[in-house]
Amino acid sequence: MCGISGWVSYGRDLRQERPVAEAMNATMACRGPDAQGLWLDRHAAMGHRRLAIIDLPGGVQPMTQDTPDGDVVLVYSGEAYNYTELRDELRHRGHRFRTDSDTEVVLRGYLEWGAELPEHLNGMFAFAIWDGRSKSLLLIRDRMGIKPLYYFPTEDGVLFGSEPKAVLANPMVPRSVDLDGLRELFSRAKTPGHAVWAGMREVEPGTVVTVERSGLRARPYWQLRAAEHTDSRQDTVARVRELLDDIVRRQLVSDVPRCVLLSGGLDSSAITALAAEQMRGKETVRSFAVDFVGQSENFIPDGLRSTPDTPYVHDVVEHAGIEHQDIVLDPEGLADPSVRAAAVRSRDLPLGLGDMDQSLLLLFRAIREHSTVALSGESADEVFGGYAWFHDPAARDAGTFPWLAALERQHGRGGGSLLEPELQERLDLRDYLERRYQEALVEVPHLEGESDPLERRMREVCYLHLTRFVRMLLDRKDRLSMATGLEVRVPFCDHRLVEYVFNTPWSLKTFDGREKSLLRAATEDLLPRSVVERVKSPYPSTQDPAYVVALQRQVRDLLSSDDSPALDLLDRGRLREVTAVEPGRVTTADRNGLERTLDLAVWFELERPTLALDSSG
């Protein structure tokens, strides 16, 4: 896993721009702490920061191949899990390899297949290829969007990077956010391609972006498609298990220490158990879980979480015979302003998830002391239909993104927003989301003659989660893990599994009357009964009132100083009211508002954005 950056300019000599190219590359140091490299030619600069995972001495980048008509140069972030098979195929086609790395497989794969290369890859990846033969650049991203990749078109080329900070390091790029950028920031809808920063774009998942003298064009190489599912229930369960066995086997490959993230839910427990089964007799699997001081003993069930994680985590540890460590966090550490700043900096945006971002960052920091690679249960809910709103007709049929309908029912219309009222009116998030929702529905593939209204609607709901909601979570997981130099792999995002389960009827996905029926049936032989029977519980959030006290104090200090541009976006009166409420009576919506307030203040301090509120993207 690595960080990449680069610049293509057909109107200048980039060999004279080394300091700028180095500054762009330096922003990716957190993603690649092990090595760095920079390749410069007249019209292209390619930067790379490496986190060494496979073939530690051989995978040095940028990786080049000389040809009679010009160099072909690759900067690559990610993993190709089928690289050994592809290497064998390429050898049979006459290619000779200098290293054992998957990077060289990708480079030689491009020499063989050109822009069709990503269709041959199984993995998570974001990479750029400068082809000196045609003086063109290709930007390529994996099918599900596990690895990030951003670009900024210029008058004579393009800038790109694994994260916006790499692009923003170039002085040509204004640090500007317009009204549509703010709408995207506050909407929780994740519009494909939108990067919040004005003029910047995100390479969409499953897409190749080609940059030439004549301009820029994007071509999708993968999309979800509707296909008739003919397997029986028994065969479907067996196929899911077969796929999971193969996926976990591939994703356990590493030349550095690895582990699994374990929450005690069905998803992470299944991955942990599968890994333990495959490594039995070879290596004891190691797992890590996040917990909070006093959480298990003082846990109070709420509308999202009915049980604490830790007892279930320990059931899995005992059942699977693995080595485990709980990472126990206290409210002081979670509320530490430096931790919040690190989380906001890693994500380039103030997304307002607060303690859930900070705890994840602290968990990853602790894991990185022992492991460089971790397997996660992320995305199973989107693939198998695990969230409560999948099964709630009111949210499912609300005529908007179901997760937003569920939030609105929980917090009320407006979600307890602490935004300044005039700004709320100008943003008109309801209209923005309606437009984005209708755009998404047009994309949904349906079977010809699909007449059952519930099956048709659930295909839409699944599509929305696999192309919008999951990308928010994948981006969060990538940014916070890579900020610590930890590679997190997501087996449930293997495109073969996603395609197969997407086309299973909803009646099969819920055949036992519960969420994630297929995953439960496919892995229950490996799991303790407590986990098999456990109801879905989201990523944990601290319930300690001391954390809310710290939030209120920090927001009061912010209001007192009155020097943060963030306050211009916020309703100061409402903020003062919320900071005066008894901590135990602060609603979830208002707590989220406090988190967003502090994130915004940090963002303005770190990124110095200019708000262009008279324009939209």
Side-chain angles (χ1 to χ4, degrees):
M1 196 61 59
C2 307
I4 67 174
S5 64
W7 185 1
V8 167
S9 172
Y10 295 106
R12 68 174 75 196
D13 186 347
L14 293 184
R15 293 171 296 189
Q16 308 303 315
E17 302 288 350
R18 176 176 287 273
V20 176
E22 288 177 339
M24 293 174 66
N25 202 33
T27 65
M28 296 292 93
C30 60
R31 298 184 71 91
D34 296 331
Q36 62 178 310
L38 185 66
W39 182 91
L40 291 170
D41 201 5
R42 182 175 183 83
H43 296 307
M46 306 282 277
H48 186 266
R49 296 288 310 216
R50 187 183 186 205
L51 177 65
I53 302 293
I54 292 174
D55 187 11
L56 307 191
V60 176
Q61 298 186 52
M63 187 172 283
T64 64
Q65 178 62 49
D66 299 337
T67 78
D69 300 314
D71 290 346
V72 177
V73 186
L74 168 68
V75 286
Y76 168 74
S77 170
E79 306 290 346
Y81 300 125
N82 63 334
Y83 79 99
T84 54
E85 297 101 307
L86 291 179
R87 185 170 55 205
D88 289 343
E89 180 178 351
L90 289 165
R91 278 177 174 152
H92 284 127
R93 291 171 177 259
H95 291 267
R96 295 185 177 182
F97 287 82
R98 307 185 300 265
T99 74
D100 293 324
S101 69
D102 61 335
T103 304
E104 188 178 5
V105 171
V106 172
L107 177 59
R108 297 196 175 279
Y110 173 73
L111 295 172
E112 180 66 32
W113 296 303
E116 308 301 316
L117 162 66
E119 296 166 40
H120 296 262
L121 300 176
N122 175 303
M124 56 178 189
F125 46 82
F127 57 92
I129 297 175
W130 170 253
D131 193 329
R133 300 169 300 183
S134 57
K135 300 297 187 291
S136 62
L137 177 78
L138 273 69
L139 301 173
I140 300 175
R141 194 172 178 205
D142 66 65
R143 296 168 179 84
M144 292 296 290
I146 305 168
K147 293 287 99 185
L149 186 56
Y150 295 83
Y151 66 99
F152 185 93
T154 65
E155 289 184 356
D156 66 345
V158 73
L159 305 165
F160 68 88
S162 292
E163 299 179 11
K165 60 176 64 68
V167 176
L168 292 168
N170 191 302
M172 294 172 58
V173 180
R175 292 175 170 267
S176 178
V177 177
D178 59 25
L179 275 175
D180 264 0
L182 286 182
R183 291 178 179 117
E184 189 67 19
L185 181 62
F186 294 128
S187 68
R188 300 196 192 281
K190 189 62 174 173
T191 303
H194 207 300
V196 176
W197 297 95
M200 193 182 299
R201 298 288 295 167
E202 187 177 39
V203 177
E204 293 189 33
T207 298
V208 178
V209 173
T210 303
V211 182
E212 299 170 317
R213 285 184 181 272
S214 58
L216 180 153
R217 66 180 186 276
R219 173 185 69 85
Y221 68 86
W222 182 85
Q223 295 171 312
L224 282 169
R225 302 190 185 281
E228 186 177 1
H229 185 82
T230 59
D231 291 349
S232 67
R233 179 198 298 180
Q234 182 178 356
D235 289 344
T236 300
V237 171
R239 177 58 178 159
V240 169
R241 176 58 175 271
E242 178 185 23
L243 284 168
L244 286 172
D245 281 335
D246 181 65
I247 293 164
V248 171
R249 176 183 61 80
R250 291 176 182 275
Q251 298 197 18
L252 282 170
V253 174
S254 171
D255 292 337
V256 294
R258 62 212 156 178
C259 67
V260 291
L261 307 178
L262 178 59
S263 71
L266 176 62
D267 316 339
S268 66
S269 299
I271 296 300
T272 302
L274 287 162
E277 184 73 10
Q278 297 210 14
M279 300 304 294
R280 201 172 308 283
K282 306 172 191 174
E283 177 184 322
T284 300
V285 168
R286 187 167 195 177
S287 64
F288 293 87
V290 68
D291 197 7
F292 307 101
V293 172
Q295 183 96 327
S296 295
E297 298 83 356
N298 304 306
F299 182 82
I300 300 173
D302 59 29
L304 291 176
R305 303 168 183 87
S306 59
T307 53
D309 287 347
T310 301
Y312 298 91
V313 167
H314 294 172
D315 285 352
V316 174
V317 170
E318 181 178 356
H319 189 83
I322 61 177
E323 183 182 343
H324 177 75
Q325 183 177 345
D326 290 320
I327 306 301
V328 183
L329 307 175
D330 58 40
E332 292 78 17
L334 285 172
D336 184 337
S338 69
V339 177
R340 181 181 299 276
V344 173
R345 176 61 175 158
S346 72
R347 301 190 69 181
D348 293 301
L349 294 171
L351 297 172
L353 293 182
D355 76 299
M356 290 191 289
D357 273 359
Q358 284 125 233
S359 65
L360 193 60
L361 178 66
L362 292 172
L363 171 65
F364 289 153
R365 283 181 180 175
I367 292 174
R368 187 61 176 88
E369 296 177 7
H370 308 279
S371 299
T372 310
V373 170
L375 271 65
S376 165
E378 192 83 87
S379 307
D381 288 308
E382 290 79 10
V383 173
F384 291 98
Y387 294 113
W389 51 76
F390 273 90
H391 311 272
D392 175 4
R396 185 185 67 211
D397 302 328
T400 187
F401 298 104
W403 56 91
L404 296 181
L407 283 173
E408 184 169 297
R409 289 181 63 198
Q410 182 179 0
H411 301 313
R413 194 167 187 172
S417 173
L418 297 178
L419 291 176
E420 194 273 327
E422 184 179 335
L423 177 61
Q424 286 195 62
E425 186 176 340
R426 293 185 67 189
L427 292 176
D428 193 2
L429 291 179
R430 189 164 291 274
D431 176 72
Y432 180 77
L433 287 167
E434 171 64 17
R435 287 186 282 119
R436 295 311 192 200
Y437 176 67
Q438 294 302 327
E439 290 169 2
L441 287 185
V442 171
E443 300 172 10
V444 181
H446 287 285
L447 286 174
E448 187 175 348
E450 190 173 47
S451 57
D452 185 307
L454 178 59
E455 290 290 347
R456 183 179 180 85
R457 177 55 182 163
M458 293 316 298
R459 184 181 290 276
E460 292 174 345
V461 169
C462 291
Y463 183 89
L464 294 175
H465 282 79
L466 291 169
T467 62
R468 267 71 176 175
F469 193 76
V470 77
R471 293 178 186 174
M472 291 186 274
L473 300 183
L474 291 172
D475 188 71
R476 170 178 178 255
K477 183 69 62 75
D478 173 85
R479 301 296 199 86
L480 293 171
S481 62
M482 293 307 295
T484 70
L486 177 71
E487 173 178 298
V488 175
R489 300 175 178 179
V490 278
F492 289 116
C493 278
D494 184 292
H495 70 279
R496 298 169 299 161
L497 180 69
V498 172
E499 290 171 344
Y500 184 75
V501 178
F502 175 68
N503 282 300
T504 59
W506 183 245
S507 57
L508 254 185
K509 290 188 177 82
T510 57
F511 71 79
D512 63 359
R514 296 192 57 189
E515 78 286 354
K516 293 183 285 196
S517 306
L518 292 174
L519 177 59
R520 183 177 294 103
T523 58
E524 64 180 343
D525 63 305
L526 300 174
L527 300 171
R529 291 308 304 172
S530 61
V531 171
V532 172
E533 295 167 1
R534 189 186 183 193
V535 175
K536 161 71 184 173
S537 183
Y539 181 85
S541 177
T542 181
Q543 295 183 337
D544 195 323
Y547 180 73
V548 179
V549 170
L551 292 182
Q552 291 176 307
R553 181 181 66 252
Q554 291 171 17
V555 172
R556 280 196 297 269
D557 291 345
L558 183 69
L559 288 165
S560 297
S561 66
D562 200 32
D563 60 359
S564 172
L567 293 174
D568 295 336
L569 304 179
L570 300 165
D571 187 335
R572 287 175 169 85
R574 277 285 296 128
L575 279 174
R576 290 189 181 94
E577 291 175 6
V578 175
T579 60
V581 174
E582 182 182 338
R585 300 177 67 84
V586 173
T587 66
T588 300
D590 283 343
R591 172 172 157 169
N592 292 343
L594 295 176
E595 299 275 24
R596 177 64 68 106
T597 296
L598 294 172
D599 278 8
L600 279 167
V602 169
W603 182 56
F604 273 98
E605 182 178 354
L606 292 175
E607 303 295 345
R608 306 290 180 184
T610 300
L611 299 185
L613 300 186
D614 294 325
S615 61
S616 297

